[in-house]
Amino acid sequence: MAPNGNTDSPMRELLALAAADLAVAEHGFSASLVDLRRAARTKLGIDVPYDRAQAALATRTEGTSTTAFLLGQE
């Protein structure tokens, strides 16, 4: 089930991370924002805004900590 429209909800943040995991699993560490957003739409049924997608992808490909992402310190 998709979360409500609140883009700052913890569930939305976790789904963005899950979409990043799916994109990296499919495309490796060269996964792009397009790959992440496509995975979010097709596999999770959600739309991840570009800023959240970029931050989530950074936690998987650039070494940014997941904790910093979830706390909004990315």
Side-chain angles (χ1 to χ4, degrees):
M1 174 172 18
N4 64 24
N6 181 357
T7 58
D8 293 330
S9 75
M11 178 64 79
R12 179 69 68 167
E13 302 296 339
L14 291 173
L15 288 171
L17 290 170
D21 287 340
L22 290 169
V24 169
E26 187 172 343
H27 301 282
F29 289 108
S30 63
S32 69
L33 292 176
V34 171
D35 299 328
L36 185 151
R37 295 187 82 230
R38 184 177 299 128
R41 277 190 307 277
T42 61
K43 296 182 175 158
L44 301 176
I46 63 168
D47 185 41
V48 177
Y50 282 104
D51 61 333
R52 294 288 83 199
Q54 185 173 11
L57 194 58
T59 69
R60 301 309 192 238
T61 59
E62 298 173 12
T64 303
S65 97
T66 300
T67 304
F69 170 73
L70 290 172
L71 294 174
Q73 300 169 346
E74 69 280 340

